[in-house]
Amino acid sequence: MKLLKLDNSYQNMVFKVGDEMDFDKKIKDKNLIIYCSNNLEDFAYEFKEYYYKNIKNIKESLDITEEIKIIVALTDKIEEANFVYGKSSFSGFFTDTGAFAYISLNEDKTKEYMFKGLMHEIVHYLYKYYVYGAQKNRIVWADEGIAQLLSGQKDEFQDDSLFKEFVIKNIKDLQNFNLNTLDHKDKSFGNKNGYNLSYIAIKYLHDNFEKQKFLEIIKDENALKQLGTYIIDEIKNNFVIDKKQIK
């Protein structure tokens, strides 16, 4: 079967996935469609179960009440996935309908790691189209922080003592650090520890504000840009965000 080209323009990257792609299987129900190769059929069914166990909480966290149909495409054919980062057995990106990923089973990543990776991309999709707004400029650190927080990729840091250690380790040597300088296009995001810093910033916002205020902030492009200029220093200096600085 054929699946039309997936739009990933929001990533500001160029992935040569072709005008059409071939998939062996299509798993479909009311709110989720998964395209996959034969080798990934069992994985796809397991992910379907994982998705439905977690999507409700993610939508509630983002205050999304409407029903949304997600399309996930999975391939194990490396020739169809030259966006793969290094030699990773899992690489993915979000699309204008859900998520697309390259998956190589029986290698260095667990299924749970891959499930959370897929949910990470789905959170990107939900945040862009149903919370933040598709026409706004992407604030990369906020988007990546939200995706990590809600996908559960760093759930071990729900423990306060572990999170404190994580924060100190990642920001102790930073000064006057501007999160807005991080971008995927020039690889500064990965090279400058962008994922960890983004998670720290968003978790602080999430933990220190009521839900509705948090949602207001992550919908506001200007507020996020302002926060990006000082939030890491605030966390480093005080370890508790001064809420008065966020208007």
Side-chain angles (χ1 to χ4, degrees):
M1 63 186 68
K2 296 284 188 179
L3 181 65
L4 294 178
K5 183 178 180 179
L6 300 168
D7 176 16
N8 63 304
S9 58
Y10 193 47
Q11 295 281 32
N12 293 317
M13 297 179 180
V14 177
F15 296 138
K16 297 178 180 179
V17 295
D19 291 331
E20 291 185 332
M21 295 182 66
D22 285 304
F23 291 89
D24 303 311
K25 301 292 183 179
K26 180 180 180 182
I27 300 167
K28 180 179 180 182
D29 63 19
K30 184 178 180 181
N31 293 317
L32 178 66
I33 299 174
I34 304 176
Y35 293 90
C36 65
S37 56
N38 285 324
N39 293 336
L40 296 177
E41 184 177 10
D42 290 343
F43 176 92
Y45 275 108
E46 290 179 53
F47 173 70
K48 176 183 173 182
E49 182 177 348
Y50 185 90
Y51 172 87
Y52 281 114
K53 285 182 178 178
N54 291 276
I55 193 62
K56 181 179 178 181
N57 288 337
I58 290 173
K59 289 175 64 179
E60 286 179 352
S61 296
L62 294 172
D63 205 24
I64 298 172
T65 58
E66 61 196 284
E67 288 193 1
I68 299 170
K69 180 173 287 187
I70 301 288
I71 298 176
V72 174
L74 308 174
T75 185
D76 60 348
K77 300 173 183 176
I78 192 69
E79 66 273 12
E80 292 182 345
N82 60 350
F83 59 88
V84 174
Y85 313 125
K87 297 181 180 180
S88 176
S89 58
F90 176 90
S91 291
F93 62 88
F94 71 100
T95 73
D96 62 347
T97 55
F100 177 61
Y102 165 77
I103 291 171
S104 178
L105 298 176
N106 303 317
E107 290 194 23
D108 60 325
K109 306 297 185 192
T110 65
K111 286 184 179 179
E112 183 177 14
Y113 176 95
M114 296 178 183
F115 291 162
K116 289 182 177 181
L118 284 168
M119 296 307 292
H120 175 116
E121 304 305 335
I122 289 169
V123 172
H124 278 317
Y125 165 75
L126 293 173
Y127 175 58
K128 174 186 176 181
Y129 289 103
Y130 295 93
V131 179
Y132 182 66
Q135 303 308 315
K136 296 180 184 177
N137 294 315
R138 185 189 189 196
I139 309 300
V140 178
W141 66 266
D143 196 6
E144 292 294 357
I146 292 164
Q148 291 175 89
L149 180 71
L150 298 185
S151 67
Q153 288 177 307
K154 287 185 167 66
D155 270 358
E156 67 267 31
F157 299 120
Q158 295 301 316
D159 179 282
D160 290 342
S161 61
L162 290 178
F163 183 60
K164 182 176 181 179
E165 292 177 10
F166 182 72
V167 171
I168 293 171
K169 177 182 178 181
N170 282 278
I171 70 174
K172 64 181 179 180
D173 297 324
L174 299 179
Q175 193 155 3
N176 300 320
F177 189 84
N178 186 344
L179 286 171
N180 299 316
T181 63
L182 300 175
D183 204 331
H184 286 302
K185 288 184 290 186
D186 60 5
K187 297 185 179 180
S188 62
F189 199 86
N191 293 341
K192 295 183 179 180
N193 204 23
Y195 284 100
N196 288 351
L197 297 178
S198 297
Y199 173 77
I200 288 168
I202 287 296
K203 187 176 188 309
Y204 262 96
L205 288 173
H206 180 269
D207 291 353
N208 285 278
F209 289 91
E210 297 293 334
K211 178 180 177 180
Q212 289 307 313
K213 182 60 178 177
F214 173 74
L215 289 171
E216 287 178 20
I217 293 169
I218 65 172
K219 292 177 183 178
D220 189 328
E221 181 179 346
N222 291 328
L224 290 172
K225 287 180 179 178
Q226 181 186 5
L227 277 164
T229 64
Y230 70 80
I231 193 171
I232 292 298
D233 282 340
E234 287 290 333
I235 295 169
K236 179 180 177 180
N237 293 334
N238 303 313
F239 207 65
V240 175
I241 294 174
D242 181 359
K243 301 176 187 179
K244 294 179 181 179
Q245 294 195 34
I246 303 176
K247 301 178 180 178

